[in-house]
Amino acid sequence: SIQQTQNDVIPRYVRVNTLKTSLEDVIDYLKREGFSYQGTPGRLEDLDRLSGKMFLCDLHLKDLLVFSGKTDFHDHFLYKAGHIILQGKASCLPAFLLNPPVGSHVIDACAAPGNKTSHLAAIMKNKGKLFAFDLDAKRLSTMSTLLLRAGVTCHKLANQDFLKVDPQNSEYKEVKYILLDPSCSGSGMVCLRDELPETQEDGRLQALAAFQLHCLNHALQFPQLERIVYSTCSIHSQENEEVVTACLQRNPGFRLVHLLPDWPERGHEPLTQCLRASTAKTRTHGFFVAMLERRPAQSDKET
Ligand code: SAM
């Protein structure tokens, strides 16, 4: 089946929730349960040799463990207790890269079901303010449960259209970091991709790209914003590089940040500062991440 194929290629990633435990404690717990820790892999292909109860540390992200794709933790104590989060590697990139300082004010613009919100809270050590918005009430209620289990306390959830959040509202006057992970076509999700007909998609892609650009432009209106991460689980440049390019044209006060020099898959030319992810090159779902930062005030002559 398609699911079987996906499990064969994409490993099971497990993020250690540092709000509740530590990487060392999770590794010890799993070893005592009969899992076999293999250390840090030397290269990508080492992931393909994971089987049974073997596991590794991730090549790029700390607090991320890698298991064979067939490993299921949904009934595991560590998962039920919120000590581990079942989150794909690509989906861990946005919060990891945004890396908001402890105590900062942060917006997660399209937040539900909240895995990235809980990751942000862990990076912030639950200190500061994490404003999380989502339009979908049902997804937000799932999110409340997830955040409770993960021990997140620094958040404020709102069932609100991010496009209608007023950047001038004094509540957000200290917001320097935004994570924007808007609705997308999902074309990078390996299990979905084989089922989506390529044609008949164009109108939908165009509408999604317009929405994504609108969100990105809106996010840049927050007066104290210093950096923003934009991500999608789409493989279409229309939702990725083209959205970022259009946004930069409209907002010359911002520029791209060159992300993870060692990452093997880059944004399409000329946006090589951005990251892409795929089964073939990173053993993840298809994904795109860009980070924009405000240019320093005196930097008119810099590129
Ligand atoms: N960041 C989430 C996570 O890691 O769990 C996944 C977000 S999902 C890709 C996109 C979300 O955007 C959906 O939950 C959807 O309800 C929400 N959304 C769509 N339009 C929105 C809007 N105008 N304002 C706020 N949220 C919106």
Side-chain angles (χ1 to χ4, degrees):
S1 72
I2 289 164
Q3 188 65 35
Q4 188 61 52
T5 316
Q6 178 204 336
N7 288 348
D8 288 345
V9 207
I10 303 183
R12 159 66 68 192
Y13 292 97
V14 165
R15 179 167 64 77
V16 172
N17 178 15
T18 55
L19 291 177
K20 290 222 157 173
T21 182
S22 66
L23 182 65
E24 294 70 30
D25 284 356
V26 168
I27 291 174
D28 284 348
Y29 188 101
L30 291 170
K31 284 193 333 203
R32 281 199 302 274
E33 267 195 348
F35 282 89
S36 151
Y37 179 52
Q38 313 276 310
T40 306
R43 41 192 213 110
L44 187 71
E45 288 70 23
D46 293 344
L47 305 192
D48 303 334
R49 287 196 287 276
L50 285 170
S51 67
K53 293 194 124 186
M54 292 156 64
F55 72 110
L56 291 160
C57 268
D58 184 61
L59 274 165
H60 302 94
L61 305 187
K62 73 170 166 63
D63 302 324
L64 194 65
L65 297 171
V66 198
F67 299 78
S68 148
K70 296 184 182 79
T71 320
D72 187 358
F73 283 103
H74 285 93
D75 293 322
H76 197 278
F77 163 76
L78 290 176
Y79 172 67
K80 290 183 167 167
H83 289 207
I84 60 172
I85 313 277
L86 305 182
Q87 184 172 2
K89 174 172 177 173
S91 142
C92 293
L93 286 169
F96 173 80
L97 294 168
L98 187 63
N99 195 23
V102 172
S104 56
H105 288 199
V106 181
I107 286 178
D108 189 346
C110 297
N115 275 337
K116 297 183 187 76
T117 317
S118 103
H119 193 189
L120 286 169
I123 293 167
M124 296 159 69
K125 299 192 166 34
N126 252 341
K127 298 199 173 73
K129 280 194 185 147
L130 183 44
F131 302 98
F133 303 102
D134 205 283
L135 258 186
D136 187 325
K138 221 174 142 197
R139 285 168 69 95
L140 270 179
S141 88
T142 307
M143 177 161 175
S144 295
T145 311
L146 189 147
L147 295 183
L148 186 68
R149 189 172 55 200
V152 176
T153 54
C154 62
H155 63 292
K156 187 174 169 191
L157 286 192
N159 186 192
Q160 208 176 328
D161 182 345
F162 174 64
L163 293 171
K164 294 194 178 128
V165 176
D166 178 9
Q168 303 306 326
N169 185 324
S170 66
E171 203 177 359
Y172 312 122
K173 66 177 188 297
E174 289 174 50
V175 169
K176 292 184 180 164
Y177 308 93
I178 297 182
L179 190 152
L180 173 61
D181 183 45
S183 300
C184 73
S185 62
S187 56
M189 301 306 289
V190 173
C191 44
L192 292 177
R193 192 163 65 212
D194 307 285
E195 293 159 14
L196 284 176
E198 280 292 315
T199 55
Q200 87 178 29
E201 281 287 278
D202 211 53
R204 182 169 163 254
L205 279 186
Q206 238 175 317
L208 283 165
F211 164 71
Q212 292 150 354
L213 178 58
H214 199 165
C215 287
L216 195 49
N217 284 332
H218 185 69
L220 298 195
Q221 303 310 307
F222 286 77
Q224 289 302 315
L225 184 71
E226 284 181 8
R227 52 177 196 258
I228 174 167
V229 165
Y230 171 77
S231 60
T232 73
C233 58
S234 164
I235 55 171
H236 291 104
S237 46
Q238 221 178 327
E239 297 176 271
N240 297 328
E241 290 86 352
E242 290 180 29
V243 167
V244 170
T245 303
C247 172
L248 287 169
Q249 271 163 7
R250 193 183 151 142
N251 299 277
F254 285 82
R255 65 185 176 193
L256 283 167
V257 178
H258 190 95
L259 299 171
L260 301 181
D262 293 337
W263 189 261
E265 189 169 7
R266 314 302 308 183
H268 291 171
E269 292 282 352
L271 299 201
T272 53
Q273 301 96 327
C274 307
L275 305 183
R276 276 182 171 254
S278 66
T279 311
K281 295 202 176 132
T282 57
R283 298 296 186 274
T284 66
H285 289 288
F287 207 78
F288 174 84
V289 196
M291 181 150 81
L292 277 61
E293 67 178 5
R294 191 185 294 279
R295 289 176 192 273
Q298 73 281 8
S299 74
D300 291 353
K301 294 191 186 87
E302 284 177 31
T303 46

